[in-house]
Amino acid sequence: MDYVSIRVSTLRGDQKIDFNAYVKINDKMILYLRRGDSFEGERLKRLKDKRLRKMYILTDEETSYRSYLQKNIETAYDDTTGKDIQTRADIIQGSQQNNAEEVFENPENIESYNYCKDAAGKYVNFIMSNAQAMSAVMKIENTDKTVSHHGVTVATLSIALAQKLGINDPKKNAASDPGGFVA
């Protein structure tokens, strides 16, 4: 069986998963959560408390994982879902962090770069159009001290600085380029 890693920062407790999630212990893959369950309650908190950054899924379930991510992201960007701004910011920040890590790990991958570029533009719009968004993102602690989290923080601050300087066109904001997230 072939596995691919997924980032714990992309997982949410309020949505059932369409894939099996595994943890790696002593080079063995152990089923942690079954398809159809969710990371609700203490499950996700325990993983984060242990500073577990990666889990694993079967390679043939990667499409299901990508659909799970896309659903989370779409929900987070939708103002009408009723989700509070902090939950939305957590999802969006985790997604941006994931995108930055993808570009770090595969800088030659044009598809990853273009996806990151599109996502960066959406992120700039999110921060610029939601008064509490910047504050919510800045509250997210960088517990594992990753460069990708730092990059998202720097990009967020640059968006706020651009707004203070009167640059209100998202396309003219430097953070709309993936380079702003891999600072």
Side-chain angles (χ1 to χ4, degrees):
M1 296 179 140
D2 290 327
Y3 296 88
V4 63
S5 66
I6 62 173
R7 290 169 181 83
V8 172
S9 65
T10 65
L11 302 172
R12 298 290 154 238
D14 60 346
Q15 185 179 342
K16 291 182 179 183
I17 60 172
D18 295 328
F19 49 89
N20 290 320
Y22 299 83
V23 292
K24 191 175 191 178
I25 300 174
N26 297 328
D27 292 328
K28 285 183 79 176
M29 293 298 182
I30 308 297
L31 180 61
Y32 184 81
L33 194 65
R34 294 183 190 282
R35 180 183 303 106
D37 288 342
S38 70
F39 284 94
E40 65 189 344
E42 289 295 311
R43 285 179 170 161
L44 193 56
K45 183 180 179 329
R46 275 195 309 265
L47 293 174
K48 290 181 178 181
D49 287 348
K50 291 184 182 291
R51 300 187 194 284
L52 184 69
R53 293 182 60 209
K54 291 186 178 182
M55 293 186 77
Y56 298 87
I57 60 172
L58 292 170
T59 303
D60 62 353
E61 292 186 320
E62 192 169 3
T63 302
S64 296
Y65 171 68
R66 297 266 177 222
S67 295
Y68 168 85
L69 287 180
Q70 194 58 39
K71 183 177 179 182
N72 278 333
I73 293 164
E74 288 170 5
T75 299
Y77 278 118
D78 185 352
D79 289 336
T80 64
T81 61
K83 291 206 179 285
D84 64 278
I85 192 70
Q86 190 62 56
T87 300
R88 294 173 58 215
D90 286 345
I91 294 168
I92 293 168
Q93 189 277 349
S95 171
Q96 289 306 117
Q97 186 176 337
N98 183 54
N99 294 339
E101 288 176 7
E102 286 284 331
V103 171
F104 275 140
E105 293 171 4
N106 303 301
E108 72 286 343
N109 187 320
I110 299 298
E111 185 179 323
S112 290
Y113 175 83
N114 287 334
Y115 183 83
C116 185
K117 185 174 181 175
D118 290 343
K122 289 178 184 175
Y123 184 77
V124 170
N125 286 329
F126 172 70
I127 297 295
M128 292 181 84
S129 64
N130 292 283
Q132 306 92 8
M134 188 194 80
S135 176
V137 170
M138 297 308 291
K139 288 178 185 175
I140 301 169
E141 187 179 353
N142 188 359
T143 54
D144 26 345
K145 310 296 183 221
T146 62
V147 173
S148 57
H149 188 283
H150 173 74
V152 175
T153 301
V154 169
T156 304
L157 291 171
S158 75
I159 296 165
L161 179 60
Q163 282 186 298
K164 285 282 186 195
L165 295 172
I167 302 171
N168 295 311
D169 182 354
K171 292 181 181 175
K172 291 183 180 177
N173 195 302
S176 64
D177 187 88
F181 288 89
V182 292

